[in-house]
């Protein structure tokens, strides 16, 4: 493959963004694919595979190394995939596993309660629903799959937020909390109180905090090492999922969460 020129204009374009930035991302991904195929490779070999000058390959490798995605054997100068790739792959595997293992549990919870059951995982600063099942009494055809929902205004979100490491949790709690209804918690103090209750009770509830007329409960799903990797819950109309019934429904969600956690290898 002919080598492309590595000019100051190219580097300037990469700094400005646009097509140069897209090309840089493409090359970085290509480096990871090359190392996955070869196991290890030096700068010269990588530059030849990419069809770029060694200086370009070296810059790309430097960025990937800083992010832990590649590592270098110092004595021989060879590069290989780093622990960062394993971390990303592990997170993807967990999401795939919880989707697969969660299907029968989610369906069973929906059948047990008659309402809509969902499984959600953390996605940056929001919860994203990766599984949904509708019970016999579900009155809405609304599809929550793939929808990102706010952590502070949903039962699943509160569960995921409650079990985050304290520094990360506090960062999310103290930022501006958007109001969706009159019932939405918008103060850090109020949210902290509910998160403490979620940790003590083993579940979280919301009552018309995201949408008027919508109540929900959720409980944490754990991985084999005890880390909370998701939340399973039930949502339904407030006239049927009345406030006084939420603790009972939450206990059912907690039993489903324990079942799914066992499927994920958690011994507790």
């Amino acid at each position: 493959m002919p080598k492309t020129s590595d000019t100051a204009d190219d580097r300037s374009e990469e700094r400005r963004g646009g097509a140069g930035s897209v090309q840089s991302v493409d090359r970085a991904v290509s480096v990871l694919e090359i190392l996955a195929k070869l196991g290890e490779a030096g700068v010269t070999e990588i530059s030849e595979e990419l069809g770029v000058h060694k200086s370009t390959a070296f810059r790309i490798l430097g960025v990937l190394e800083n992010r832990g995605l590649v590592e270098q054997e110092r004595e021989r100068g060879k590069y290989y995939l780093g622990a960062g790739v394993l971390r990303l792959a592990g997170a993807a595997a967990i999401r795939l596993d919880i989707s697969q293992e969660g299907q029968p549990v989610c369906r069973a919870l929906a059948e047990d309660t008659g309402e809509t059951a969902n499984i959600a995982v953390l996605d940056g600063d929001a919860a994203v629903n990766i599984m949904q099942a509708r019970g016999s009494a579900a009155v809405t055809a609304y599809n929550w799959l793939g929808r990102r929902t706010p952590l502070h205004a949903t039962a699943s979100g509160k569960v995921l937020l409650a079990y985050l490491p304290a520094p990360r949790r506090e960062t999310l709690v103290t930022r501006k909390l958007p109001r969706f209804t009159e019932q939405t918690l918008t103060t850090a103090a109020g949210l902290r109180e509910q998160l403490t209750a979620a940790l003590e009770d083993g579940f979280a509830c919301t009552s018309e905090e995201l949408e008027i007329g919508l109540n929900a409960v959720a409980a944490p799903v754990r991985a084999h090492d005890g880390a909370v990797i998701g939340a399973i819950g039930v949502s339904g109309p407030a006239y049927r999922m009345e406030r006084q019934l939420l603790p009972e429904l939450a206990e059912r969600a907690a039993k489903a969460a324990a079942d799914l956690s066992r499927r994920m290898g958690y011994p507790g």
Side-chain angles (χ1 to χ4, degrees):
M1 183 183 297
K3 294 182 179 180
T4 57
S5 62
D6 184 28
T7 65
D9 288 341
D10 291 333
R11 292 192 294 272
S12 177
E13 184 178 16
E14 288 182 15
R15 285 194 295 270
R16 291 196 306 270
S21 294
V22 173
Q23 185 181 55
S24 295
V25 172
D26 182 70
R27 287 172 174 172
V29 173
S30 295
V31 169
L32 296 177
E33 291 176 338
I34 290 167
L35 293 178
K37 177 180 67 175
L38 300 179
E40 62 178 25
V43 176
T44 299
E45 191 173 5
I46 291 171
S47 68
E48 290 176 351
E49 287 278 343
L50 286 178
V52 300
H53 286 269
K54 287 177 64 175
S55 58
T56 299
F58 187 78
R59 285 204 310 274
I60 295 170
L61 286 163
V63 172
L64 293 173
E65 187 175 14
N66 288 339
R67 300 302 294 267
L69 297 176
V70 304
E71 297 177 15
Q72 185 181 27
E73 170 57 58
R74 297 301 175 186
E75 292 184 2
R76 296 183 300 140
K78 297 282 189 177
Y79 288 87
Y80 54 93
L81 293 179
V85 172
L86 297 177
R87 184 179 66 251
L88 295 176
I94 286 175
R95 184 169 294 195
L96 290 173
D97 286 345
I98 197 173
S99 295
Q100 180 177 355
E101 296 295 337
Q103 288 182 16
V105 180
C106 194
R107 287 197 298 266
L109 181 59
E111 291 173 3
D112 178 43
T113 61
E115 304 294 351
T116 300
N118 285 282
I119 296 175
V121 296
L122 188 67
D123 185 23
D125 60 353
V128 62
N129 292 283
I130 61 171
M131 180 69 55
Q132 177 175 288
R134 293 190 182 91
S136 58
V139 296
T140 178
Y142 190 86
N143 188 0
W144 292 89
L145 279 177
R147 178 176 172 182
R148 285 169 53 87
T149 55
L151 298 176
H152 70 290
T154 59
S156 294
K158 288 179 185 178
V159 166
L160 296 171
L161 186 55
Y163 287 91
L164 282 176
R168 175 61 174 158
R169 182 177 64 240
E170 189 63 15
T171 296
L172 294 172
V173 166
T174 54
R175 66 179 182 167
K176 181 177 176 58
L177 303 174
R179 180 180 295 281
F180 300 97
T181 74
E182 288 299 316
Q183 304 301 321
T184 306
L185 276 173
T186 58
T187 67
L191 184 54
R192 285 194 198 98
E193 184 178 343
Q194 288 211 354
L195 297 181
T196 298
L199 292 173
E200 293 175 351
D201 298 336
F203 59 79
C205 303
T206 54
S207 181
E208 301 187 271
E209 295 174 38
L210 179 63
E211 296 180 6
I212 296 296
L214 179 68
N215 289 353
V217 298
V221 177
R222 298 179 183 274
H224 65 92
D225 59 358
V228 172
I229 56 173
I232 184 168
V234 179
S235 61
Y239 69 82
R240 191 164 57 237
M241 285 183 58
E242 299 176 346
R243 281 176 181 260
Q244 63 268 25
L245 298 178
L246 295 184
E248 178 189 345
L249 288 168
E251 291 293 344
R252 297 188 191 183
K255 290 180 180 179
D259 183 14
L260 182 49
S261 295
R262 284 191 293 271
R263 287 172 172 266
M264 298 299 295
Y266 180 59

